[in-house]
Amino acid sequence: MPRKLLLLPPRSVPSAFRAPRASSSASAAMNAARTGYRVFSANSTAACTELAKRITERLGAELGKSVVYQETNGETRVEIKESVRGQDIFIIQTIPRDVNTAVMELLIMAYALKTACARNIIGVIPYFPYSKQSKMRKRGSIVCKLLASMLAKAGLTHIITMDLHQKEIQGFFSFPVDNLRASPFLLQYIQEEIPNYRNAVIVAKSPDAAKRAQSYAERLRLGLAVIHGEAQCTELDMDDGRHSPPMVRNATVHPGLELPLMMAKEKPPITVVGDVGGSIAIIVDDIIDDVESFVAAAEILKERGAYKIYVMATHGILSAEAPRLIEESSIDEVVVTNTVPHEVQKLQCPKIKTVDISLILSEAIRRIHNGESMAYLFRNITVDD
């Protein structure tokens, strides 16, 4: 006969073999370690880690232990020196002059954290690189879309940035993007640091910047002026050899394909729409890189009677000869935030001033980690801001 399997009632495990129960404090510590957060800097240079240190000081946290360096052959190597398993990781990457190296540092660090089993990887990129290449130009490419795809593939799950060059760039990403604004800090600087700012006029150096300038003017209850007719940073209107279909000599044209000829553009003479005579002129924009257009705008405003000229922008890239040109120009002061390192440029030109935006970035990090709403950081922000 087959033997029957008898189910016996469960016995209590002797205390000698019973695993010790974790205390409530130890359990809380384990949960905190599992669901904690760390802040890393994706660049080891002193200029680029300054913003990261300001943010961690406000958060009351320490900067994560990592090493980022360039090998002798130019390759980027990243080493994470502590456990990040199950944690929210925030990578702060400010973009120095070597943009491509900074991008690779961010990608490699994100991938290293992904393979180290981080729960969420959030990129804090105050100035998003390649944001000016967000539109198709002739035979070019939308590099900003490519970069968004690369970041997602590397393991990023969220991005915090500031004043994207085009707000539509957020649509390139397959994960959430928080596009913070620096305008509250710049508006505060105008009110507190510019004497007699009530006698100022907000100036857009081109029609493209008119919406931003109008937003500043309405919030400060000031007048608005727009410079029209300057050379625009848009697609060049020249023959690039592209024809569709290709031009063929002695080819017969179908009589039904007589398309209207597009008239060539003709830029009008530079003029200022609005009165700036006897006023302080404050030029506002999102990026100041090559400063020739700002210098030319300042000359025009001086001719129209402005007695003091400020330039305010979120991202002070200030490439090439920008510090020297600013120093020699009619511009009295250039005010930018610390989204981009520019300490060297400040040493070359004392007219350059910095506004710290680490407060809003640290608050964004705190809210995202705690699962709180970000609406407070966007209060009174409109589509045009």
Side-chain angles (χ1 to χ4, degrees):
M1 291 180 60
R3 300 176 61 183
K4 292 183 180 180
L5 181 62
L6 300 178
L7 297 178
L8 301 176
R11 294 193 220 173
S12 60
V13 180
S15 59
F17 300 98
R18 190 178 301 152
R21 181 174 297 176
S23 64
S24 58
S25 59
S27 177
M30 291 175 61
N31 290 334
R34 268 199 304 269
T35 62
Y37 75 94
R38 300 294 292 164
V39 180
F40 286 86
S41 174
N43 194 305
S44 297
T45 60
C48 296
T49 56
E50 181 184 357
L51 180 60
K53 289 178 180 177
R54 287 176 178 266
I55 291 173
T56 51
E57 285 175 3
R58 291 184 181 277
L59 290 169
E62 293 183 358
L63 200 59
K65 298 176 183 177
S66 64
V67 177
V68 182
Y69 61 95
Q70 308 298 318
E71 301 245 9
T72 54
N73 61 358
E75 293 182 355
T76 300
R77 184 176 291 274
V78 175
E79 297 178 5
I80 309 299
K81 297 294 187 178
E82 60 184 280
S83 174
V84 297
R85 183 178 295 272
Q87 298 190 39
D88 292 336
I89 304 300
F90 295 85
I91 308 174
I92 300 174
Q93 178 65 312
T94 52
I95 307 298
R97 292 193 176 187
D98 192 353
V99 178
N100 295 328
T101 299
V103 170
M104 286 305 301
E105 290 170 345
L106 178 61
L107 291 171
I108 295 173
M109 178 167 277
Y111 190 66
L113 293 165
K114 177 183 177 181
T115 54
C117 299
R119 185 176 67 167
N120 292 307
I121 304 173
I122 300 96
V124 183
I125 315 169
Y127 168 66
F128 194 80
Y130 289 99
S131 59
K132 285 190 174 182
Q133 298 189 47
S134 59
K135 295 180 180 179
M136 179 64 74
R137 298 185 185 279
K138 295 188 176 180
R139 290 192 180 94
S141 62
I142 306 177
V143 184
C144 195
K145 176 66 172 70
L146 171 64
L147 182 55
S149 302
M150 292 167 64
L151 292 173
K153 191 69 175 178
L156 286 179
T157 58
H158 196 143
I159 275 183
I160 303 171
T161 187
M162 182 165 283
D163 282 335
L164 287 170
H165 187 58
Q166 300 288 340
K167 297 179 183 65
E168 294 78 9
I169 291 174
Q170 296 175 79
F172 293 162
F173 295 87
S174 57
F175 49 76
V177 176
D178 286 312
N179 182 28
L180 303 176
R181 306 295 196 274
S183 51
F185 297 90
L186 297 176
L187 289 168
Q188 184 181 26
Y189 184 92
I190 292 173
Q191 293 174 311
E192 296 180 357
E193 302 296 334
I194 297 182
N196 197 23
Y197 82 93
R198 290 291 182 187
N199 188 34
V201 175
I202 305 298
V203 180
K205 74 177 183 69
S206 69
D208 292 339
K211 285 186 177 181
R212 182 184 299 271
Q214 181 181 358
S215 173
Y216 276 69
E218 290 175 352
R219 281 172 165 75
L220 295 170
R221 278 68 173 173
L222 299 177
L224 176 66
V226 179
I227 298 177
H228 179 56
E230 68 169 344
Q232 303 293 315
C233 298
T234 55
E235 190 174 1
L236 296 176
D237 299 311
M238 59 175 61
D239 183 13
D240 66 344
R242 176 180 59 182
H243 297 283
S244 180
M247 295 289 287
V248 181
R249 292 183 179 180
N250 303 324
T252 59
V253 180
H254 193 278
L257 292 179
E258 295 181 1
L259 301 176
L261 181 65
M262 176 64 73
M263 297 177 62
K265 291 182 179 179
E266 183 176 349
K267 297 187 182 298
I270 296 178
T271 182
V272 179
V273 181
D275 184 19
V276 295
S279 302
I280 301 171
I282 303 175
I283 305 173
V284 297
D285 212 334
D286 62 330
I287 300 173
I288 176 168
D289 189 0
D290 297 325
V291 300
E292 285 85 355
S293 59
F294 291 93
V295 171
E299 295 294 336
I300 293 295
L301 294 169
K302 277 287 187 182
E303 293 176 5
R304 297 296 191 274
Y307 69 89
K308 206 163 188 180
I309 298 171
Y310 291 81
V311 175
M312 311 200 77
T314 302
H315 310 295
I317 301 174
L318 304 169
S319 300
E321 297 295 317
R324 180 183 62 81
L325 294 174
I326 293 171
E327 188 65 26
E328 297 173 355
S329 70
S330 302
I331 299 172
D332 294 284
E333 196 169 286
V334 174
V335 183
V336 293
T337 70
N338 55 345
T339 56
V340 178
H342 54 267
E343 294 304 317
V344 175
Q345 291 90 328
K346 287 179 70 174
L347 294 176
Q348 298 171 352
C349 177
K351 292 182 179 180
I352 301 172
K353 308 297 180 184
T354 307
V355 175
D356 181 27
I357 44 81
S358 61
L359 174 62
I360 192 170
L361 293 175
S362 59
E363 180 62 14
I365 290 173
R366 189 191 68 80
R367 286 176 176 270
I368 289 174
H369 172 65
N370 292 334
E372 299 177 19
S373 172
M374 297 285 284
Y376 178 77
L377 303 182
F378 293 95
R379 64 193 190 283
N380 298 326
I381 298 294
T382 63
V383 177
D384 296 334
D385 291 326

